[in-house]
Each structure stands twice: as C-alpha cells, then as structure tokens.
Amino acid sequence: EAEVAQSPRYKITEKSQAVAFWCDPISGHATLYWYRQILGQGPELLVQFQDESVVDDSQLPKDRFSAERLKGVDSTLKIQPAELGDSAMYLCASSGGLALLTDTQYFGPGTRLTVL
Amino acid sequence: AQSVTQLDSQVPVFEEAPVELRCNYSSSVSVYLFWYVQYPNQGLQLLLKYLSGSTLVESINGFEAEFNKSQTSFHLRKPSVHISDTAEYFCAVSVDASKIIFGSGTRLSIRP
C-alpha cells in the first residue's frame, strides 16, 4: 500500500540553527499539507499545496518558516532560525484533490523536532 | 470561529469493555465532522466522517459515532474494545470544507 514518506523521523537541533524536513506524498496526489502538532495538542495546518502552488499558508510563520514544492511532487519545510517553541511533530499529508470532504488525507509518520 | 473539545486526554478501559470518547464542537453553522486514529508509530488515519444524512456513522472496525446537533457532539463509541484499538483518537471539524480543525486527542489504553 502506498504511503507518505517523511525524513528524518527525528531531529535534534540547537536554537538559531536551520532545519529542514522532507516529504514525499503518495504518487499522483496533487494536494500536499504540512501540519505542526505540539505535544498534547492536535495537528494545526501550516501550509497547503495544490501541485506546486500554495493554496493556504495563512498559519505559516513566514518570518522563519518556508515551504516549497518546486516540481509539484515532493516538498521541503524549512525553519531558520529554529526557536525553542518550534519543538513539535511535523506531519505531512497528501490527498488526490482539494475536495476536503471526499479526498481523504493520508498522513506520513511525522518528523519529531527537538530544539535545545 | 469553530473549535473542537475532547474533554478526556486519556481513557483506560479493560479489554472487551465498551468505550465512549467524547467530542464537542462549537460552530454556529453547519459542520462536517471526522474522527482520526493514530496507532503507535504510525501516521494519522481517517476512521469515519459525518457529512450529511444519517446521524450515525460507522467504521469498518466496529467504531461508530453519532452526530448530535442539539448537543453539538460527535462522540465515538465501541461496544467491545480489543488490545489492537490502543491508539490516540482525534476528533476534527470542518465548517467551510477548506480546512480541518483538530481536537487535542484522547489516548485510549486497553488493559487485558
């Protein structure tokens, strides 16, 4: 069964350093999501792509976070500089289309970031 | 703005006992409701969803949830749980079908 791949699974970094996460969606999925899940909370949408275009990045802290999906396939989420409050699980999900109600989101296993 | 409240952060139950995981939402307009499950070391998976029609929705593994508009609830139930149901369960809501808002999750632990 096809899965969403994410790497690394775990990342420890010091504050002020740059960090990057990678996501490879299920083949053929046009829509890609990045979520942040702080311990004890539910996932919060950071950015949504349709192919290579950003559909929604209203919750992305743009002063330090950036996301790209240059060829409309895999995606990279970057944080520079990292802050202590960025410690969280970063989840990637993909779906076949933008119809939220009918296009199921498939989630990857996540990248757990710890900022020291 | 819409929000989702999962009152119980942890629910321990014995194997073969019934369970109810509570979920309440706040919204002044029509909503779409979801339950997601996250098994240990796996990604989130859609368990079931309510879009319209029958207020009782079922999943393939014996869970069911009932949409109660008057009580703004979407509680998840199973009459008899198994060890394999051990997971974290997230309730979620969407108002305009463009974004999903997740609750904080309920960790279900099953005791033999």
Side-chain angles (χ1 to χ4, degrees), chain A residues 9-10 35 37 40-43 45 48 56 58-59 91 98 100-102 104-109, chain B residues 32 34 36 38 41-46 49 51 88 90 94 97-105:
Chain A
R9 293 292 305 274
Y10 304 91
Y35 289 86
Q37 185 178 11
Q41 300 181 21
L45 180 68
Q48 177 184 347
D56 182 357
S58 57
Q59 299 302 310
L91 303 172
L98 281 172
L100 192 68
L101 304 183
T102 53
T104 299
Q105 292 186 37
Y106 295 87
F107 285 79
Chain B
Y32 310 101
F34 308 80
Y36 282 79
Q38 186 171 28
N41 300 312
Q42 294 186 29
L44 279 159
Q45 304 173 34
L46 180 65
K49 62 183 175 183
L51 303 182
E88 189 156 19
F90 292 90
S94 178
S98 66
K99 187 180 296 186
I100 293 180
I101 307 298
F102 288 88
S104 56

Side-chain angles (χ1 to χ4, degrees), chain A:
Chain A
E1 182 176 311
E3 296 179 342
V4 176
Q6 289 188 248
S7 68
R9 293 292 305 274
Y10 304 91
K11 179 70 178 178
I12 299 174
T13 191
E14 294 184 345
K15 63 180 182 179
S16 304
Q17 296 298 305
V19 64
F21 315 128
W22 178 79
C23 172
D24 191 13
I26 292 172
S27 178
H29 278 191
T31 308
L32 185 146
Y33 307 81
W34 282 103
Y35 289 86
R36 176 173 60 186
Q37 185 178 11
I38 296 171
L39 191 64
Q41 300 181 21
E44 173 193 24
L45 180 68
L46 291 175
V47 62
Q48 177 184 347
F49 289 92
Q50 177 68 13
D51 298 314
E52 67 275 9
S53 300
V54 173
V55 173
D56 182 357
D57 64 356
S58 57
Q59 299 302 310
L60 188 71
K62 299 180 187 64
D63 56 334
R64 297 185 300 108
F65 286 64
S66 64
E68 60 183 18
R69 194 183 184 199
L70 295 176
K71 297 182 179 179
V73 180
D74 59 336
S75 176
T76 302
L77 178 68
K78 298 178 180 177
I79 308 175
Q80 182 173 17
E83 297 181 352
L84 296 178
D86 297 331
S87 294
M89 179 76 86
Y90 290 83
L91 303 172
C92 180
S94 70
S95 67
L98 281 172
L100 192 68
L101 304 183
T102 53
D103 292 320
T104 299
Q105 292 186 37
Y106 295 87
F107 285 79
T111 296
R112 182 169 296 281
L113 172 67
T114 301
V115 182
L116 303 176

